[in-house]
Amino acid sequence: MNTHLSIRIQDQMPHFSKGQRLIAKYIEEHYDKVAFMTASKLGSTVGVSESTVVRFATELGYDGYPELQRAMQEMIRSKLTSVQRIEVTKERIGKNDILDVMLAQDMDVIRRTMEATSHKDFYEAVDAIIAAKKIYILGARSSVALATFLSYYLGMLFDNVQCIQATSEAEIFEQMIYMTKDDVMIGLSFPRYSKKASKAMRFAHDRGAKVIAITDSLLSPIAEFADYRLLARSDISAIVDSLVAPLSLINSLLVALALKMESRVTKVFQNLEDIWDEYGVYEKVDETENDKDNKKE
């Protein structure tokens, strides 16, 4: 269990009521399950009232049970195996509609991302990217999809973008060998955190480059080496990582860059549109045929 939370519980143990001691013991033994229980469910499981559970959270110094619950969720997300994730997700959904639950969960993580992300770090990161001599991007494991998406659009805005292939540690460092203090490194990592991403961020930091971390928490391994920390909440979704909020944050970053360099971006995309038209990159749908298809639907 999270050391800080464990210390809080041990420090307060002598002052707990009998019911609160039962809660503390159950949390220490089953924190992976408690992290996703409501106060009411925890109370009924332990055999105490919901109000006792709420008082327990405030005794530990939290504003309420939801804050205690979030602390436990943040702590376990990087530790659960894929099998444990499936079990936790099954418990959370219960008899509810899967689609409704998952969409509501994604809406919640975007809301929490709005509360967590530093606007100061966000706009300073935008300036750092624009000023960079070269932009390096790294995402490992499931974050590769985010890194690829980001590098695709940044590659349209800048001619100095390199998406690092995170195949092996040796190859990662080889791709970063010419990095200098004039460059920017953008690292993306979410639970379960990649060791390769953490080492790459440390390398960039040691080279003096400006380091931007797109991750879920200040406790993330890559946040330690970052000059700018862009926090995007993620959540457990069975065997997959919920990357809705990180993708939304990346979209915001791209829009901020485009608007900051509006005249330049307009010229670039006008040039691209001419090239796409000349070489027939995109299929043109006849408007009348499209209307017919819409009517059929």
Side-chain angles (χ1 to χ4, degrees), residues 114 117-132 184 210-214 227-231 248-249 251-261:
M114 291 175 66
T117 302
S118 164
H119 285 59
K120 179 175 180 292
D121 277 18
F122 178 85
Y123 289 109
E124 287 183 356
V126 168
D127 291 337
I129 292 171
I130 293 174
V184 159
K210 292 292 184 183
V211 180
I212 301 169
I214 300 179
D227 297 291
Y228 314 110
R229 300 169 179 86
L230 308 185
L231 302 184
S248 184
L249 178 62
N251 285 341
S252 302
L253 189 65
L254 291 167
V255 170
L257 287 164
L259 293 180
K260 188 121 185 182
M261 306 183 300

PDB file of all heavy atoms in Angstrom, residues 114 117-132 184 210-214 227-231 248-249 251-261:
ATOM      1  N   MET A 114      -8.953  18.665 -16.702  1.00  0.00           N
ATOM      2  CA  MET A 114      -9.113  20.128 -16.682  1.00  0.00           C
ATOM      3  C   MET A 114      -8.728  20.696 -15.320  1.00  0.00           C
ATOM      4  O   MET A 114      -8.160  21.789 -15.216  1.00  0.00           O
ATOM      5  CB  MET A 114     -10.554  20.497 -17.016  1.00  0.00           C
ATOM      6  CG  MET A 114     -10.945  20.218 -18.455  1.00  0.00           C
ATOM      7  SD  MET A 114     -12.698  20.546 -18.777  1.00  0.00           S
ATOM      8  CE  MET A 114     -12.756  22.324 -18.541  1.00  0.00           C
ATOM      9  N   THR A 117      -4.377  19.891 -14.853  1.00  0.00           N
ATOM     10  CA  THR A 117      -3.316  20.394 -15.724  1.00  0.00           C
ATOM     11  C   THR A 117      -2.966  21.849 -15.432  1.00  0.00           C
ATOM     12  O   THR A 117      -3.844  22.698 -15.303  1.00  0.00           O
ATOM     13  CB  THR A 117      -3.729  20.254 -17.201  1.00  0.00           C
ATOM     14  OG1 THR A 117      -4.000  18.895 -17.485  1.00  0.00           O
ATOM     15  CG2 THR A 117      -2.621  20.735 -18.113  1.00  0.00           C
ATOM     16  N   SER A 118      -1.677  22.114 -15.360  1.00  0.00           N
ATOM     17  CA  SER A 118      -1.188  23.472 -15.125  1.00  0.00           C
ATOM     18  C   SER A 118      -1.262  24.273 -16.426  1.00  0.00           C
ATOM     19  O   SER A 118      -0.618  23.917 -17.418  1.00  0.00           O
ATOM     20  CB  SER A 118       0.255  23.432 -14.627  1.00  0.00           C
ATOM     21  OG  SER A 118       0.863  24.697 -14.738  1.00  0.00           O
ATOM     22  N   HIS A 119      -2.053  25.346 -16.425  1.00  0.00           N
ATOM     23  CA  HIS A 119      -2.136  26.205 -17.609  1.00  0.00           C
ATOM     24  C   HIS A 119      -0.788  26.874 -17.880  1.00  0.00           C
ATOM     25  O   HIS A 119      -0.405  27.077 -19.033  1.00  0.00           O
ATOM     26  CB  HIS A 119      -3.217  27.270 -17.422  1.00  0.00           C
ATOM     27  CG  HIS A 119      -4.609  26.737 -17.547  1.00  0.00           C
ATOM     28  ND1 HIS A 119      -5.114  25.736 -16.734  1.00  0.00           N
ATOM     29  CD2 HIS A 119      -5.612  27.049 -18.407  1.00  0.00           C
ATOM     30  CE1 HIS A 119      -6.359  25.479 -17.090  1.00  0.00           C
ATOM     31  NE2 HIS A 119      -6.684  26.252 -18.099  1.00  0.00           N
ATOM     32  N   LYS A 120      -0.072  27.198 -16.816  1.00  0.00           N
ATOM     33  CA  LYS A 120       1.239  27.832 -16.953  1.00  0.00           C
ATOM     34  C   LYS A 120       2.201  26.889 -17.684  1.00  0.00           C
ATOM     35  O   LYS A 120       2.864  27.290 -18.649  1.00  0.00           O
ATOM     36  CB  LYS A 120       1.800  28.180 -15.574  1.00  0.00           C
ATOM     37  CG  LYS A 120       3.183  28.819 -15.594  1.00  0.00           C
ATOM     38  CD  LYS A 120       3.592  29.226 -14.175  1.00  0.00           C
ATOM     39  CE  LYS A 120       4.968  29.879 -14.154  1.00  0.00           C
ATOM     40  NZ  LYS A 120       6.046  28.920 -14.486  1.00  0.00           N
ATOM     41  N   ASP A 121       2.272  25.636 -17.237  1.00  0.00           N
ATOM     42  CA  ASP A 121       3.146  24.664 -17.887  1.00  0.00           C
ATOM     43  C   ASP A 121       2.722  24.423 -19.332  1.00  0.00           C
ATOM     44  O   ASP A 121       3.558  24.252 -20.229  1.00  0.00           O
ATOM     45  CB  ASP A 121       3.126  23.334 -17.122  1.00  0.00           C
ATOM     46  CG  ASP A 121       4.082  23.344 -15.937  1.00  0.00           C
ATOM     47  OD1 ASP A 121       4.484  24.449 -15.516  1.00  0.00           O
ATOM     48  OD2 ASP A 121       4.423  22.263 -15.426  1.00  0.00           O
ATOM     49  N   PHE A 122       1.406  24.417 -19.557  1.00  0.00           N
ATOM     50  CA  PHE A 122       0.887  24.156 -20.902  1.00  0.00           C
ATOM     51  C   PHE A 122       1.374  25.222 -21.891  1.00  0.00           C
ATOM     52  O   PHE A 122       1.934  24.892 -22.952  1.00  0.00           O
ATOM     53  CB  PHE A 122      -0.651  24.133 -20.869  1.00  0.00           C
ATOM     54  CG  PHE A 122      -1.292  23.931 -22.208  1.00  0.00           C
ATOM     55  CD1 PHE A 122      -1.480  22.659 -22.719  1.00  0.00           C
ATOM     56  CD2 PHE A 122      -1.709  25.026 -22.971  1.00  0.00           C
ATOM     57  CE1 PHE A 122      -2.079  22.468 -23.966  1.00  0.00           C
ATOM     58  CE2 PHE A 122      -2.304  24.845 -24.208  1.00  0.00           C
ATOM     59  CZ  PHE A 122      -2.494  23.564 -24.709  1.00  0.00           C
ATOM     60  N   TYR A 123       1.198  26.490 -21.545  1.00  0.00           N
ATOM     61  CA  TYR A 123       1.556  27.551 -22.494  1.00  0.00           C
ATOM     62  C   TYR A 123       3.070  27.747 -22.587  1.00  0.00           C
ATOM     63  O   TYR A 123       3.580  28.142 -23.649  1.00  0.00           O
ATOM     64  CB  TYR A 123       0.847  28.853 -22.109  1.00  0.00           C
ATOM     65  CG  TYR A 123      -0.638  28.771 -22.374  1.00  0.00           C
ATOM     66  CD1 TYR A 123      -1.559  28.701 -21.330  1.00  0.00           C
ATOM     67  CD2 TYR A 123      -1.124  28.716 -23.679  1.00  0.00           C
ATOM     68  CE1 TYR A 123      -2.921  28.586 -21.568  1.00  0.00           C
ATOM     69  CE2 TYR A 123      -2.487  28.603 -23.938  1.00  0.00           C
ATOM     70  CZ  TYR A 123      -3.382  28.537 -22.874  1.00  0.00           C
ATOM     71  OH  TYR A 123      -4.722  28.415 -23.129  1.00  0.00           O
ATOM     72  N   GLU A 124       3.791  27.474 -21.516  1.00  0.00           N
ATOM     73  CA  GLU A 124       5.256  27.537 -21.591  1.00  0.00           C
ATOM     74  C   GLU A 124       5.789  26.389 -22.453  1.00  0.00           C
ATOM     75  O   GLU A 124       6.796  26.546 -23.149  1.00  0.00           O
ATOM     76  CB  GLU A 124       5.850  27.493 -20.179  1.00  0.00           C
ATOM     77  CG  GLU A 124       5.638  28.786 -19.404  1.00  0.00           C
ATOM     78  CD  GLU A 124       6.302  28.766 -18.037  1.00  0.00           C
ATOM     79  OE1 GLU A 124       6.860  27.722 -17.653  1.00  0.00           O
ATOM     80  OE2 GLU A 124       6.261  29.815 -17.351  1.00  0.00           O
ATOM     81  N   ALA A 125       5.112  25.236 -22.408  1.00  0.00           N
ATOM     82  CA  ALA A 125       5.495  24.114 -23.264  1.00  0.00           C
ATOM     83  C   ALA A 125       5.281  24.465 -24.733  1.00  0.00           C
ATOM     84  O   ALA A 125       6.097  24.123 -25.599  1.00  0.00           O
ATOM     85  CB  ALA A 125       4.689  22.871 -22.894  1.00  0.00           C
ATOM     86  N   VAL A 126       4.205  25.165 -25.025  1.00  0.00           N
ATOM     87  CA  VAL A 126       3.925  25.624 -26.398  1.00  0.00           C
ATOM     88  C   VAL A 126       5.065  26.510 -26.895  1.00  0.00           C
ATOM     89  O   VAL A 126       5.585  26.322 -28.005  1.00  0.00           O
ATOM     90  CB  VAL A 126       2.584  26.397 -26.460  1.00  0.00           C
ATOM     91  CG1 VAL A 126       2.441  27.118 -27.803  1.00  0.00           C
ATOM     92  CG2 VAL A 126       1.410  25.453 -26.233  1.00  0.00           C
ATOM     93  N   ASP A 127       5.481  27.455 -26.074  1.00  0.00           N
ATOM     94  CA  ASP A 127       6.577  28.357 -26.454  1.00  0.00           C
ATOM     95  C   ASP A 127       7.887  27.593 -26.647  1.00  0.00           C
ATOM     96  O   ASP A 127       8.669  27.892 -27.556  1.00  0.00           O
ATOM     97  CB  ASP A 127       6.764  29.436 -25.384  1.00  0.00           C
ATOM     98  CG  ASP A 127       5.601  30.426 -25.351  1.00  0.00           C
ATOM     99  OD1 ASP A 127       4.905  30.553 -26.378  1.00  0.00           O
ATOM    100  OD2 ASP A 127       5.388  31.053 -24.292  1.00  0.00           O
ATOM    101  N   ALA A 128       8.131  26.614 -25.781  1.00  0.00           N
ATOM    102  CA  ALA A 128       9.363  25.828 -25.872  1.00  0.00           C
ATOM    103  C   ALA A 128       9.405  25.022 -27.173  1.00  0.00           C
ATOM    104  O   ALA A 128      10.460  24.903 -27.814  1.00  0.00           O
ATOM    105  CB  ALA A 128       9.477  24.894 -24.669  1.00  0.00           C
ATOM    106  N   ILE A 129       8.276  24.469 -27.562  1.00  0.00           N
ATOM    107  CA  ILE A 129       8.209  23.697 -28.807  1.00  0.00           C
ATOM    108  C   ILE A 129       8.486  24.597 -30.012  1.00  0.00           C
ATOM    109  O   ILE A 129       9.244  24.235 -30.921  1.00  0.00           O
ATOM    110  CB  ILE A 129       6.825  23.016 -28.941  1.00  0.00           C
ATOM    111  CG1 ILE A 129       6.674  21.920 -27.876  1.00  0.00           C
ATOM    112  CG2 ILE A 129       6.656  22.419 -30.337  1.00  0.00           C
ATOM    113  CD1 ILE A 129       5.280  21.346 -27.786  1.00  0.00           C
ATOM    114  N   ILE A 130       7.889  25.774 -30.015  1.00  0.00           N
ATOM    115  CA  ILE A 130       8.082  26.703 -31.133  1.00  0.00           C
ATOM    116  C   ILE A 130       9.545  27.141 -31.243  1.00  0.00           C
ATOM    117  O   ILE A 130      10.087  27.287 -32.342  1.00  0.00           O
ATOM    118  CB  ILE A 130       7.168  27.939 -30.964  1.00  0.00           C
ATOM    119  CG1 ILE A 130       5.698  27.528 -31.114  1.00  0.00           C
ATOM    120  CG2 ILE A 130       7.525  29.025 -31.981  1.00  0.00           C
ATOM    121  CD1 ILE A 130       4.714  28.638 -30.812  1.00  0.00           C
ATOM    122  N   ALA A 131      10.196  27.321 -30.102  1.00  0.00           N
ATOM    123  CA  ALA A 131      11.578  27.812 -30.088  1.00  0.00           C
ATOM    124  C   ALA A 131      12.611  26.714 -30.310  1.00  0.00           C
ATOM    125  O   ALA A 131      13.794  27.006 -30.525  1.00  0.00           O
ATOM    126  CB  ALA A 131      11.858  28.516 -28.755  1.00  0.00           C
ATOM    127  N   ALA A 132      12.202  25.459 -30.288  1.00  0.00           N
ATOM    128  CA  ALA A 132      13.154  24.334 -30.332  1.00  0.00           C
ATOM    129  C   ALA A 132      13.844  24.205 -31.688  1.00  0.00           C
ATOM    130  O   ALA A 132      13.247  24.413 -32.741  1.00  0.00           O
ATOM    131  CB  ALA A 132      12.424  23.037 -30.004  1.00  0.00           C
ATOM    132  N   VAL A 184      13.915  20.105 -27.748  1.00  0.00           N
ATOM    133  CA  VAL A 184      12.810  19.776 -26.841  1.00  0.00           C
ATOM    134  C   VAL A 184      12.541  18.277 -26.906  1.00  0.00           C
ATOM    135  O   VAL A 184      12.562  17.685 -27.990  1.00  0.00           O
ATOM    136  CB  VAL A 184      11.519  20.546 -27.222  1.00  0.00           C
ATOM    137  CG1 VAL A 184      10.281  19.847 -26.661  1.00  0.00           C
ATOM    138  CG2 VAL A 184      11.567  21.957 -26.683  1.00  0.00           C
ATOM    139  N   LYS A 210      14.989  20.988 -23.142  1.00  0.00           N
ATOM    140  CA  LYS A 210      13.735  21.274 -22.463  1.00  0.00           C
ATOM    141  C   LYS A 210      12.887  20.005 -22.510  1.00  0.00           C
ATOM    142  O   LYS A 210      12.695  19.420 -23.578  1.00  0.00           O
ATOM    143  CB  LYS A 210      12.984  22.417 -23.143  1.00  0.00           C
ATOM    144  CG  LYS A 210      13.651  23.771 -23.007  1.00  0.00           C
ATOM    145  CD  LYS A 210      13.625  24.256 -21.555  1.00  0.00           C
ATOM    146  CE  LYS A 210      14.203  25.655 -21.437  1.00  0.00           C
ATOM    147  NZ  LYS A 210      14.254  26.111 -20.024  1.00  0.00           N
ATOM    148  N   VAL A 211      12.415  19.582 -21.366  1.00  0.00           N
ATOM    149  CA  VAL A 211      11.703  18.300 -21.283  1.00  0.00           C
ATOM    150  C   VAL A 211      10.237  18.526 -20.930  1.00  0.00           C
ATOM    151  O   VAL A 211       9.914  19.187 -19.945  1.00  0.00           O
ATOM    152  CB  VAL A 211      12.354  17.378 -20.231  1.00  0.00           C
ATOM    153  CG1 VAL A 211      11.600  16.052 -20.147  1.00  0.00           C
ATOM    154  CG2 VAL A 211      13.822  17.133 -20.579  1.00  0.00           C
ATOM    155  N   ILE A 212       9.348  17.979 -21.767  1.00  0.00           N
ATOM    156  CA  ILE A 212       7.904  18.077 -21.555  1.00  0.00           C
ATOM    157  C   ILE A 212       7.367  16.675 -21.274  1.00  0.00           C
ATOM    158  O   ILE A 212       7.542  15.764 -22.089  1.00  0.00           O
ATOM    159  CB  ILE A 212       7.194  18.654 -22.798  1.00  0.00           C
ATOM    160  CG1 ILE A 212       7.740  20.049 -23.119  1.00  0.00           C
ATOM    161  CG2 ILE A 212       5.679  18.688 -22.582  1.00  0.00           C
ATOM    162  CD1 ILE A 212       7.284  20.582 -24.464  1.00  0.00           C
ATOM    163  N   ALA A 213       6.727  16.514 -20.129  1.00  0.00           N
ATOM    164  CA  ALA A 213       6.151  15.219 -19.768  1.00  0.00           C
ATOM    165  C   ALA A 213       4.641  15.271 -19.924  1.00  0.00           C
ATOM    166  O   ALA A 213       3.980  16.121 -19.319  1.00  0.00           O
ATOM    167  CB  ALA A 213       6.518  14.853 -18.334  1.00  0.00           C
ATOM    168  N   ILE A 214       4.100  14.391 -20.732  1.00  0.00           N
ATOM    169  CA  ILE A 214       2.650  14.217 -20.832  1.00  0.00           C
ATOM    170  C   ILE A 214       2.338  12.909 -20.130  1.00  0.00           C
ATOM    171  O   ILE A 214       2.616  11.823 -20.650  1.00  0.00           O
ATOM    172  CB  ILE A 214       2.176  14.194 -22.299  1.00  0.00           C
ATOM    173  CG1 ILE A 214       2.534  15.518 -22.991  1.00  0.00           C
ATOM    174  CG2 ILE A 214       0.673  13.947 -22.367  1.00  0.00           C
ATOM    175  CD1 ILE A 214       2.126  15.585 -24.449  1.00  0.00           C
ATOM    176  N   ASP A 227      10.652  19.727 -17.302  1.00  0.00           N
ATOM    177  CA  ASP A 227      10.555  21.167 -17.037  1.00  0.00           C
ATOM    178  C   ASP A 227       9.094  21.589 -17.038  1.00  0.00           C
ATOM    179  O   ASP A 227       8.701  22.505 -16.316  1.00  0.00           O
ATOM    180  CB  ASP A 227      11.311  21.943 -18.125  1.00  0.00           C
ATOM    181  CG  ASP A 227      12.798  21.626 -18.135  1.00  0.00           C
ATOM    182  OD1 ASP A 227      13.479  22.027 -17.182  1.00  0.00           O
ATOM    183  OD2 ASP A 227      13.256  20.971 -19.102  1.00  0.00           O
ATOM    184  N   TYR A 228       8.303  20.919 -17.874  1.00  0.00           N
ATOM    185  CA  TYR A 228       6.869  21.212 -17.976  1.00  0.00           C
ATOM    186  C   TYR A 228       6.100  19.903 -17.855  1.00  0.00           C
ATOM    187  O   TYR A 228       6.371  18.943 -18.581  1.00  0.00           O
ATOM    188  CB  TYR A 228       6.557  21.883 -19.330  1.00  0.00           C
ATOM    189  CG  TYR A 228       7.519  22.993 -19.668  1.00  0.00           C
ATOM    190  CD1 TYR A 228       8.446  22.847 -20.695  1.00  0.00           C
ATOM    191  CD2 TYR A 228       7.525  24.190 -18.938  1.00  0.00           C
ATOM    192  CE1 TYR A 228       9.347  23.850 -20.999  1.00  0.00           C
ATOM    193  CE2 TYR A 228       8.426  25.205 -19.239  1.00  0.00           C
ATOM    194  CZ  TYR A 228       9.339  25.025 -20.263  1.00  0.00           C
ATOM    195  OH  TYR A 228      10.239  26.020 -20.557  1.00  0.00           O
ATOM    196  N   ARG A 229       5.137  19.885 -16.941  1.00  0.00           N
ATOM    197  CA  ARG A 229       4.369  18.667 -16.674  1.00  0.00           C
ATOM    198  C   ARG A 229       2.915  18.882 -17.093  1.00  0.00           C
ATOM    199  O   ARG A 229       2.206  19.666 -16.474  1.00  0.00           O
ATOM    200  CB  ARG A 229       4.467  18.307 -15.192  1.00  0.00           C
ATOM    201  CG  ARG A 229       5.902  18.060 -14.730  1.00  0.00           C
ATOM    202  CD  ARG A 229       5.990  17.960 -13.210  1.00  0.00           C
ATOM    203  NE  ARG A 229       7.357  17.697 -12.764  1.00  0.00           N
ATOM    204  CZ  ARG A 229       8.265  18.636 -12.554  1.00  0.00           C
ATOM    205  NH1 ARG A 229       7.935  19.919 -12.738  1.00  0.00           N
ATOM    206  NH2 ARG A 229       9.481  18.324 -12.161  1.00  0.00           N
ATOM    207  N   LEU A 230       2.506  18.191 -18.125  1.00  0.00           N
ATOM    208  CA  LEU A 230       1.136  18.288 -18.623  1.00  0.00           C
ATOM    209  C   LEU A 230       0.401  17.032 -18.173  1.00  0.00           C
ATOM    210  O   LEU A 230       0.632  15.939 -18.699  1.00  0.00           O
ATOM    211  CB  LEU A 230       1.125  18.415 -20.147  1.00  0.00           C
ATOM    212  CG  LEU A 230       2.013  19.523 -20.735  1.00  0.00           C
ATOM    213  CD1 LEU A 230       1.820  19.619 -22.243  1.00  0.00           C
ATOM    214  CD2 LEU A 230       1.734  20.868 -20.069  1.00  0.00           C
ATOM    215  N   LEU A 231      -0.458  17.198 -17.177  1.00  0.00           N
ATOM    216  CA  LEU A 231      -1.121  16.044 -16.569  1.00  0.00           C
ATOM    217  C   LEU A 231      -2.450  15.751 -17.249  1.00  0.00           C
ATOM    218  O   LEU A 231      -3.323  16.617 -17.331  1.00  0.00           O
ATOM    219  CB  LEU A 231      -1.338  16.291 -15.074  1.00  0.00           C
ATOM    220  CG  LEU A 231      -0.079  16.588 -14.252  1.00  0.00           C
ATOM    221  CD1 LEU A 231      -0.438  16.699 -12.779  1.00  0.00           C
ATOM    222  CD2 LEU A 231       0.990  15.518 -14.470  1.00  0.00           C
ATOM    223  N   SER A 248      -7.049  14.244 -25.786  1.00  0.00           N
ATOM    224  CA  SER A 248      -7.682  15.561 -25.761  1.00  0.00           C
ATOM    225  C   SER A 248      -6.653  16.639 -25.422  1.00  0.00           C
ATOM    226  O   SER A 248      -6.671  17.738 -25.999  1.00  0.00           O
ATOM    227  CB  SER A 248      -8.818  15.570 -24.733  1.00  0.00           C
ATOM    228  OG  SER A 248      -9.499  16.798 -24.741  1.00  0.00           O
ATOM    229  N   LEU A 249      -5.747  16.342 -24.504  1.00  0.00           N
ATOM    230  CA  LEU A 249      -4.688  17.285 -24.146  1.00  0.00           C
ATOM    231  C   LEU A 249      -3.761  17.527 -25.336  1.00  0.00           C
ATOM    232  O   LEU A 249      -3.357  18.667 -25.608  1.00  0.00           O
ATOM    233  CB  LEU A 249      -3.894  16.743 -22.951  1.00  0.00           C
ATOM    234  CG  LEU A 249      -2.714  17.589 -22.473  1.00  0.00           C
ATOM    235  CD1 LEU A 249      -3.186  18.960 -22.007  1.00  0.00           C
ATOM    236  CD2 LEU A 249      -1.968  16.881 -21.354  1.00  0.00           C
ATOM    237  N   ASN A 251      -4.565  17.239 -28.488  1.00  0.00           N
ATOM    238  CA  ASN A 251      -5.326  18.065 -29.434  1.00  0.00           C
ATOM    239  C   ASN A 251      -5.238  19.544 -29.057  1.00  0.00           C
ATOM    240  O   ASN A 251      -5.061  20.419 -29.908  1.00  0.00           O
ATOM    241  CB  ASN A 251      -6.792  17.633 -29.455  1.00  0.00           C
ATOM    242  CG  ASN A 251      -7.008  16.334 -30.205  1.00  0.00           C
ATOM    243  OD1 ASN A 251      -6.166  15.918 -30.993  1.00  0.00           O
ATOM    244  ND2 ASN A 251      -8.129  15.683 -29.955  1.00  0.00           N
ATOM    245  N   SER A 252      -5.360  19.802 -27.751  1.00  0.00           N
ATOM    246  CA  SER A 252      -5.288  21.189 -27.264  1.00  0.00           C
ATOM    247  C   SER A 252      -3.915  21.783 -27.542  1.00  0.00           C
ATOM    248  O   SER A 252      -3.790  22.954 -27.931  1.00  0.00           O
ATOM    249  CB  SER A 252      -5.575  21.226 -25.756  1.00  0.00           C
ATOM    250  OG  SER A 252      -6.839  20.683 -25.462  1.00  0.00           O
ATOM    251  N   LEU A 253      -2.877  20.987 -27.361  1.00  0.00           N
ATOM    252  CA  LEU A 253      -1.507  21.435 -27.606  1.00  0.00           C
ATOM    253  C   LEU A 253      -1.311  21.781 -29.086  1.00  0.00           C
ATOM    254  O   LEU A 253      -0.728  22.822 -29.429  1.00  0.00           O
ATOM    255  CB  LEU A 253      -0.533  20.326 -27.190  1.00  0.00           C
ATOM    256  CG  LEU A 253       0.959  20.664 -27.155  1.00  0.00           C
ATOM    257  CD1 LEU A 253       1.253  21.718 -26.090  1.00  0.00           C
ATOM    258  CD2 LEU A 253       1.774  19.394 -26.870  1.00  0.00           C
ATOM    259  N   LEU A 254      -1.821  20.938 -29.957  1.00  0.00           N
ATOM    260  CA  LEU A 254      -1.695  21.179 -31.400  1.00  0.00           C
ATOM    261  C   LEU A 254      -2.455  22.426 -31.834  1.00  0.00           C
ATOM    262  O   LEU A 254      -1.966  23.218 -32.641  1.00  0.00           O
ATOM    263  CB  LEU A 254      -2.201  19.951 -32.169  1.00  0.00           C
ATOM    264  CG  LEU A 254      -1.337  18.691 -32.057  1.00  0.00           C
ATOM    265  CD1 LEU A 254      -2.086  17.478 -32.583  1.00  0.00           C
ATOM    266  CD2 LEU A 254      -0.014  18.877 -32.792  1.00  0.00           C
ATOM    267  N   VAL A 255      -3.650  22.606 -31.282  1.00  0.00           N
ATOM    268  CA  VAL A 255      -4.442  23.794 -31.622  1.00  0.00           C
ATOM    269  C   VAL A 255      -3.746  25.063 -31.139  1.00  0.00           C
ATOM    270  O   VAL A 255      -3.684  26.074 -31.850  1.00  0.00           O
ATOM    271  CB  VAL A 255      -5.858  23.692 -31.012  1.00  0.00           C
ATOM    272  CG1 VAL A 255      -6.605  25.023 -31.150  1.00  0.00           C
ATOM    273  CG2 VAL A 255      -6.651  22.579 -31.689  1.00  0.00           C
ATOM    274  N   ALA A 256      -3.190  25.003 -29.906  1.00  0.00           N
ATOM    275  CA  ALA A 256      -2.485  26.164 -29.359  1.00  0.00           C
ATOM    276  C   ALA A 256      -1.283  26.534 -30.230  1.00  0.00           C
ATOM    277  O   ALA A 256      -1.023  27.715 -30.486  1.00  0.00           O
ATOM    278  CB  ALA A 256      -2.037  25.872 -27.926  1.00  0.00           C
ATOM    279  N   LEU A 257      -0.558  25.533 -30.713  1.00  0.00           N
ATOM    280  CA  LEU A 257       0.585  25.779 -31.587  1.00  0.00           C
ATOM    281  C   LEU A 257       0.137  26.385 -32.922  1.00  0.00           C
ATOM    282  O   LEU A 257       0.747  27.332 -33.422  1.00  0.00           O
ATOM    283  CB  LEU A 257       1.339  24.470 -31.841  1.00  0.00           C
ATOM    284  CG  LEU A 257       2.159  23.923 -30.668  1.00  0.00           C
ATOM    285  CD1 LEU A 257       2.532  22.462 -30.912  1.00  0.00           C
ATOM    286  CD2 LEU A 257       3.415  24.759 -30.447  1.00  0.00           C
ATOM    287  N   ALA A 258      -0.941  25.834 -33.475  1.00  0.00           N
ATOM    288  CA  ALA A 258      -1.432  26.311 -34.773  1.00  0.00           C
ATOM    289  C   ALA A 258      -1.884  27.762 -34.692  1.00  0.00           C
ATOM    290  O   ALA A 258      -1.596  28.566 -35.593  1.00  0.00           O
ATOM    291  CB  ALA A 258      -2.576  25.421 -35.247  1.00  0.00           C
ATOM    292  N   LEU A 259      -2.580  28.111 -33.621  1.00  0.00           N
ATOM    293  CA  LEU A 259      -3.079  29.479 -33.482  1.00  0.00           C
ATOM    294  C   LEU A 259      -1.941  30.458 -33.175  1.00  0.00           C
ATOM    295  O   LEU A 259      -2.007  31.623 -33.573  1.00  0.00           O
ATOM    296  CB  LEU A 259      -4.140  29.546 -32.385  1.00  0.00           C
ATOM    297  CG  LEU A 259      -5.441  28.788 -32.694  1.00  0.00           C
ATOM    298  CD1 LEU A 259      -6.420  28.930 -31.534  1.00  0.00           C
ATOM    299  CD2 LEU A 259      -6.068  29.310 -33.987  1.00  0.00           C
ATOM    300  N   LYS A 260      -0.926  29.986 -32.485  1.00  0.00           N
ATOM    301  CA  LYS A 260       0.207  30.862 -32.151  1.00  0.00           C
ATOM    302  C   LYS A 260       1.036  31.161 -33.407  1.00  0.00           C
ATOM    303  O   LYS A 260       1.679  32.204 -33.502  1.00  0.00           O
ATOM    304  CB  LYS A 260       1.077  30.198 -31.091  1.00  0.00           C
ATOM    305  CG  LYS A 260       2.166  31.096 -30.532  1.00  0.00           C
ATOM    306  CD  LYS A 260       2.036  31.275 -29.043  1.00  0.00           C
ATOM    307  CE  LYS A 260       3.041  32.254 -28.504  1.00  0.00           C
ATOM    308  NZ  LYS A 260       2.968  32.427 -27.050  1.00  0.00           N
ATOM    309  N   MET A 261       1.010  30.227 -34.364  1.00  0.00           N
ATOM    310  CA  MET A 261       1.771  30.411 -35.605  1.00  0.00           C
ATOM    311  C   MET A 261       0.807  30.484 -36.794  1.00  0.00           C
ATOM    312  O   MET A 261       1.045  29.893 -37.847  1.00  0.00           O
ATOM    313  CB  MET A 261       2.737  29.245 -35.805  1.00  0.00           C
ATOM    314  CG  MET A 261       3.657  28.982 -34.647  1.00  0.00           C
ATOM    315  SD  MET A 261       4.821  27.653 -35.021  1.00  0.00           S
ATOM    316  CE  MET A 261       3.694  26.294 -35.328  1.00  0.00           C
TER     317      MET A 261
END
